[in-house]
Amino acid sequence: MDIEPLNIENEVMEFDMGSAVEDETTTLDLEHPDDDYDRDYNDELVEGSNPSTSLGFLTSNGEPDLEPYEGMEFDSEQAARIFYNSYARRVGFSTRVSVYQRSRRDGSIICRQIVCSREGFRREGAENRSKRQRTITRVGCKAQMTVKKQSSGKWAVSKLVKEHNHELVPPDKVHCLRSHRHVSGPARSLIDTLQAAGMGPSGVMSVLIKESGGINNVGFTKVDCQNYMSSSRQRTLGSGGQIIFDYLKRMQAEDPRFFYAVQGDFDNSTGNIFWADANSRMNYNYFGETVTFDTTYRMNRYRVPFAPFTGWNHHGQPVLFGCALLLNESESSFVWLFQTWLEAMSGRHPISITTDQDRIIRAAVVQVFPGTRHRFCKWNVFREAQEKLSEVYRSHPSFEAEFQKCINLTETINEFDSCWESLLQRYGLGDHEWLQSMYNARQQWVPVYLRDTFFGEMSITQGSDSINSYFDGYINASTNIQVLIKQYEKAIATRYEKEVKADYDTINTSPVLRTPSPMEKQAANLYTRKIFMKFQEELVETLAYPATMTDDTGSETIYRVAKFGEDHKAHSVRFSVFEKKASCSCQMFEFSGIICRHILAVFRVTNVLTFPSHYLLKRWTRNAKSGVLLDERTLGLPSDSQESSAARYDSLRQEAIKYVEEGAKTVQVYNVAMDALHEAAKKVAAAKKHGSGAIQSALDNGSQQLQSCSMDQDKKIQDLTAELENASQQCEAYRAKLFAVLKNMEEQKLKISVKVQNVRLHQRS
């Protein structure tokens, strides 16, 4: 194996030997329908691991490109793999992932080699152990692209070999290559319908070819179709079903808050299965405004039809809201699944939900979530575009880049409509059926139409370029039912560790402030570290964004905000002086919950120096998980949040982090802290041994003392309330005076501006 030496300290190289040599075993299954092909890109990426950011990539000037070169940058490893496979389709070869390198520090992958599927050679003696003789497909091709993670977080091409030692596949045969074959969701739905009507594989393929406009546009072969139809008749859990059922029963016995449900007969289920642990249900109370239903793993080549419900926590990390096994993909089954999930989540509907654009899922979402904004995953749309527009991509190499630019970079609805119409006219695609259908559904996947709804993502252009990848790296094409639970628990443990680490970093490290703004200091003490960094970026950018007042109605002032030298990209901000509320045409706050640079620029010129409370979403703060749960009773939890095991656990963890911070400052304090911990451990052990009687007695005594003080506290509350009312009245008076002063200043400013203009005109004359 020829690979560029990687001279990075504290790193370790791991080799995927299954990718380096040709697998000699032969089985006919859904994941590998044709053994003449190698394990492909789609198995490990397109239908499994999800890009963490954009489907596109970055070049030195920020514009998309279609030819790889050394130094080219990508947002993520997955984005690099998607790009190289797209390039391979145009050129005429198949790809697969090969060797990779992990960091010794945190175990993450920092380098990945993507190769031609004909790289390497078959293992000696493989043909003797094979069930049948297979053609030789590995010929030692050197074509490859190696990407390496940079300190900036981007991935750059460190080595590129374009030359192949074999003939390339012509355009009319490229759909036969494994990394470009995929039975899409809409195709599966059509196959299921035709199969239910009694049609065989040949008849089904004839319909698919006609519907797609040719066999080249179907996206898979007859063998793939035949294997899918065969597997769909046997889509049950098989021998692994008992493992799942035993696990669900055991988890609920250990924790009554563990929720699970099975559609149909429990002992012989051919329906869907759903479960959510106590933490998933509690996390939904904190972060359930936006939800992603990830059906990536239900796709054809995956052995496990696994579908998690996920969201974003206060650090911008993926968080789990429950999981499902999809053994039945009818509309009624999806309706059952969504209704069951909603029941587990206390019946509280999310603001927004992201799924793929499957017709059956869309219909189920409309039924169960009528008031929820439904968005299609843009990553899935772009992947489907590679299938539906393959002829266009091949005959017009520049189209793909222009298509993605039209979707991602347009900032207004008019700009998008104009760009889309121009693109279709320029390439003669006005009558293209798929493009027309996607334009009709544009409000559900084009970013510019989704800005008015909360999706919890850091930027508009990030929106759904990838499905929220909670299980990325833990579940792939080789995962079966027997190992699913182990990988599920491993993913949860790892995500928990990352959240704890982010909590610790937020509490124990102070960010570097970049402005003298009191608002920045305030935000640093309120937000989690990642969210503060995003806010700080917006705040610093206000220095390049002057705000100019264009209209004043008395109750509302309108400002025009544009970057120096970019007046054509101006945004409009409406600002209420009395309420200190502003709305911007970019709608970043509505979409992400983080205030934008345009509103901050208006705050700067109107002397709003501290954070208005209505712009501080608790879900992004370091205290996002503090306080009483919103819906404990409907969750089936005890009314007192301290009675909840999950809540007690979370509360103790937060206090422990603070305790560690104080206890580690000096040796003396450390010794005191350790003694206190030992003493506390003894008390905990005694409480466990003797039960809760003594503890309850102490609580009763404390309750009596609290009652004796309650009258005094009520008197104090009344006094403070009166003082607060008086202070509010004074504030209103000050605000009125301040508004008069600001209005006078603006008038003086206008008069001076007129005088300056008159002087200039006089000088010219």
Side-chain angles (χ1 to χ4, degrees):
M1 182 70 62
D2 180 24
I3 185 169
E4 180 184 24
L6 300 168
N7 300 320
I8 302 179
E9 277 189 1
N10 300 323
E11 312 301 346
V12 59
M13 178 72 79
E14 297 187 14
F15 293 87
D16 181 359
M17 298 307 296
S19 297
V21 294
E22 189 163 305
D23 186 5
E24 68 277 8
T25 61
T26 302
T27 57
L28 186 64
D29 60 20
L30 192 57
E31 289 75 36
H32 306 281
D34 187 346
D35 293 299
D36 290 339
Y37 297 96
D38 300 314
R39 182 165 64 102
D40 63 87
Y41 171 88
N42 277 348
D43 285 343
E44 291 218 331
L45 175 64
V46 172
E47 299 168 16
S49 303
N50 303 319
S52 60
T53 54
S54 174
L55 184 69
F57 49 90
L58 302 177
T59 61
S60 58
N61 60 4
E63 291 293 328
D65 200 344
L66 293 176
E67 288 290 324
Y69 59 85
E70 290 191 8
M72 176 183 281
E73 289 189 341
F74 302 86
D75 287 338
S76 66
E77 175 207 342
Q78 293 90 339
R81 290 157 66 179
I82 288 177
F83 164 77
Y84 192 61
N85 193 61
S86 178
Y87 163 75
R89 183 182 181 93
R90 294 192 303 273
V91 174
F93 66 97
S94 184
T95 67
R96 59 182 169 82
V97 293
S98 185
V99 296
Y100 58 91
Q101 181 184 22
R102 288 190 183 274
S103 166
R104 291 189 188 277
R105 288 187 291 271
D106 57 11
S108 63
I109 294 177
I110 59 170
C111 184
R112 170 73 76 177
Q113 187 183 71
I114 314 159
V115 300
C116 172
S117 63
R118 307 195 72 178
E119 179 268 349
F121 297 93
R122 178 180 292 181
R123 211 182 274 136
E124 287 187 11
E127 51 275 356
N128 295 329
R129 297 191 298 273
S130 179
K131 295 180 181 179
R132 63 177 171 86
Q133 293 296 320
R134 297 191 302 161
T135 57
I136 299 295
T137 59
R138 304 269 180 104
V139 295
C141 181
K142 300 293 184 182
Q144 59 117 320
M145 184 177 81
T146 300
V147 290
K148 192 183 298 184
K149 192 173 185 179
Q150 308 297 301
S151 59
S152 64
K154 302 291 184 183
W155 289 72
V157 177
S158 60
K159 182 176 181 180
L160 178 68
V161 178
K162 289 189 174 183
E163 295 75 22
H164 297 260
N165 66 350
H166 55 88
E167 291 185 2
L168 298 176
V169 176
D172 61 338
K173 300 293 190 300
V174 74
H175 66 279
C176 296
L177 296 175
R178 277 291 304 278
S179 73
H180 310 307
R181 284 160 50 187
H182 160 61
V183 182
S184 65
R188 283 197 307 275
S189 299
L190 181 57
I191 293 173
D192 290 343
T193 302
L194 296 175
Q195 185 179 11
M199 191 175 291
S202 298
V204 170
M205 278 301 292
S206 297
V207 173
L208 288 168
I209 292 170
K210 184 177 180 180
E211 288 290 322
S212 303
I215 192 170
N216 297 350
N217 300 325
V218 173
F220 51 90
T221 64
K222 182 180 177 181
V223 175
D224 298 322
C225 179
Q226 192 169 1
N227 276 279
Y228 175 78
M229 293 176 69
S230 175
S231 71
S232 66
R233 290 191 294 267
Q234 310 169 28
R235 198 166 297 169
T236 63
L237 291 176
S239 60
Q242 196 59 45
I243 296 175
I244 298 294
F245 295 145
D246 289 346
Y247 173 79
L248 298 178
K249 291 177 181 178
R250 175 169 58 83
M251 292 302 293
Q252 191 175 68
E254 294 175 0
D255 186 351
R257 294 173 305 280
F258 185 94
F259 181 101
Y260 75 86
V262 179
Q263 184 184 17
D265 181 12
F266 185 89
D267 295 322
N268 186 26
S269 175
T270 57
N272 294 329
I273 301 171
F274 171 77
W275 73 91
D277 62 18
N279 279 329
S280 294
R281 302 175 74 189
M282 186 169 64
N283 280 331
Y284 183 75
N285 277 273
Y286 298 128
F287 310 116
E289 307 97 329
T290 184
V291 176
T292 295
F293 179 52
D294 181 0
T295 52
T296 303
Y297 307 108
R298 116 187 199 260
M299 294 182 183
N300 203 24
R301 287 184 170 85
Y302 278 79
R303 298 181 183 181
V304 178
F306 182 67
F309 292 85
T310 59
W312 303 104
N313 70 7
H314 52 320
H315 299 290
Q317 300 169 332
V319 64
L320 189 63
F321 298 145
C323 299
L325 289 175
L326 304 175
L327 306 180
N328 187 321
E329 298 184 11
S330 66
E331 182 178 326
S332 60
S333 290
F334 278 113
V335 169
W336 173 89
L337 175 60
F338 291 154
Q339 290 175 339
T340 303
W341 174 80
L342 201 57
E343 177 187 350
M345 300 300 127
S346 74
R348 187 160 62 93
H349 289 240
I351 294 173
S352 60
I353 185 169
T354 301
T355 73
D356 67 33
Q357 64 269 31
D358 183 277
R359 176 183 57 82
I360 295 176
I361 294 178
R362 290 162 67 174
V365 168
V366 169
Q367 287 189 52
V368 183
F369 305 108
T372 297
R373 185 72 180 272
H374 185 199
R375 177 180 70 168
F376 303 154
C377 173
K378 185 148 56 79
W379 175 74
N380 279 330
V381 173
F382 281 146
R383 182 173 53 79
E384 187 174 339
Q386 291 183 340
E387 301 172 11
K388 302 296 185 180
L389 303 173
S390 57
E391 283 289 339
V392 182
Y393 283 8
R394 187 162 49 248
S395 56
H396 302 286
S398 62
F399 176 81
E400 185 175 10
E402 292 187 45
F403 178 65
Q404 292 188 18
K405 184 177 180 180
C406 177
I407 304 306
N408 289 324
L409 301 183
T410 49
E411 295 188 359
T412 66
I413 292 176
N414 289 337
E415 184 183 356
F416 166 76
D417 287 339
S418 175
C419 181
W420 181 276
E421 184 177 351
S422 173
L423 195 67
L424 266 56
Q425 288 181 353
R426 192 157 60 253
Y427 291 97
L429 298 172
D431 297 328
H432 195 283
E433 186 176 347
W434 183 81
L435 284 173
Q436 186 60 50
S437 68
M438 294 312 298
Y439 180 78
N440 292 339
R442 61 193 180 281
Q443 294 185 353
Q444 291 183 279
W445 66 279
V446 178
V448 74
Y449 287 93
L450 298 162
R451 293 178 173 179
D452 61 348
T453 304
F454 182 80
F455 284 95
E457 289 159 356
M458 295 299 102
S459 69
I460 304 291
T461 54
Q462 173 194 340
S464 73
D465 279 340
S466 64
I467 282 280
N468 186 343
S469 52
Y470 187 94
F471 291 97
D472 189 14
Y474 297 92
I475 296 176
N476 54 41
S478 64
T479 304
N480 56 34
I481 288 292
Q482 284 73 18
V483 300
L484 172 65
I485 295 301
K486 180 180 178 181
Q487 294 300 101
Y488 161 82
E489 292 188 328
K490 187 182 293 185
I492 288 178
T494 302
R495 292 294 182 186
Y496 172 74
E497 290 175 6
K498 290 182 177 180
E499 182 180 338
V500 171
K501 176 66 166 56
D503 282 340
Y504 183 85
D505 290 344
T506 295
I507 294 173
N508 291 278
T509 60
S510 299
V512 177
L513 302 182
R514 299 171 61 186
T515 74
S517 168
M519 193 181 294
E520 182 184 18
K521 185 176 181 181
Q522 187 182 8
N525 293 325
L526 293 171
Y527 281 137
T528 60
R529 184 53 33 81
K530 180 177 179 179
I531 304 305
F532 169 73
M533 298 304 291
K534 177 60 181 174
F535 168 80
Q536 186 183 59
E537 176 188 335
E538 296 297 313
L539 183 65
V540 171
E541 283 295 320
T542 62
L543 299 175
Y545 283 78
T548 305
M549 185 173 65
T550 59
D551 192 15
D552 185 357
T553 64
S555 61
E556 185 179 69
T557 309
I558 301 176
Y559 289 85
R560 185 176 184 274
V561 183
K563 190 175 184 179
F564 284 115
E566 297 183 2
D567 288 343
H568 60 289
K569 293 183 179 180
H571 287 277
S572 176
V573 177
R574 295 178 175 271
F575 177 62
S576 172
V577 175
F578 297 112
E579 297 180 350
K580 290 187 179 180
K581 288 185 178 180
S583 61
C584 180
S585 58
C586 79
Q587 296 182 305
M588 176 177 165
F589 180 76
E590 289 81 358
F591 184 83
S592 67
I594 299 173
I595 198 166
C596 68
R597 62 193 62 180
H598 314 111
I599 292 178
L600 289 172
V602 171
F603 282 174
R604 179 166 53 83
V605 300
T606 54
N607 292 320
V608 178
L609 302 179
T610 58
F611 224 117
S613 59
H614 40 266
Y615 286 109
L616 187 69
L617 297 191
K618 185 179 179 182
R619 62 125 44 239
W620 292 134
T621 68
R622 56 181 66 192
N623 296 320
K625 298 178 74 172
S626 66
V628 180
L629 295 179
L630 298 178
D631 294 292
E632 285 178 326
R633 291 184 180 177
T634 50
L635 264 175
L637 301 177
S639 59
D640 184 353
S641 64
Q642 292 188 359
E643 297 274 334
S644 161
S645 174
R648 292 197 304 270
Y649 184 87
D650 190 65
S651 178
L652 282 173
R653 179 172 66 86
Q654 295 285 348
E655 292 301 319
I657 291 174
K658 298 176 184 177
Y659 189 79
V660 169
E661 176 188 6
E662 295 297 326
K665 286 185 176 179
T666 66
V667 175
Q668 183 180 4
V669 175
Y670 167 79
N671 292 331
V672 173
M674 287 301 294
D675 291 341
L677 280 176
H678 292 152
E679 187 66 26
K682 293 177 183 178
K683 292 181 179 180
V684 170
K688 290 171 64 178
K689 183 177 180 180
H690 300 295
S692 60
I695 297 175
Q696 186 61 47
S697 177
L699 287 174
D700 291 341
N701 292 334
S703 177
Q704 293 174 5
Q705 294 176 2
L706 287 173
Q707 289 175 3
S708 67
C709 298
S710 62
M711 294 183 65
D712 292 339
Q713 289 178 345
D714 290 342
K715 181 64 167 61
K716 289 181 179 179
I717 290 173
Q718 290 176 2
D719 294 341
L720 290 172
T721 302
E723 291 181 16
L724 180 60
E725 181 65 28
N726 184 44
S728 297
Q729 292 176 0
Q730 292 181 3
C731 283
E732 288 301 324
Y734 288 139
R735 281 186 183 179
K737 291 179 180 179
L738 178 59
F739 178 72
V741 171
L742 290 173
K743 190 171 183 180
N744 184 55
M745 290 174 63
E746 289 294 338
E747 291 175 354
Q748 293 297 326
K749 186 177 176 182
L750 182 60
K751 291 178 181 179
I752 293 172
S753 177
V754 172
K755 289 181 180 179
V756 170
Q757 190 66 26
N758 290 336
V759 170
R760 287 178 177 171
L761 291 173
H762 180 71
Q763 288 177 345
R764 290 176 183 173
S765 61

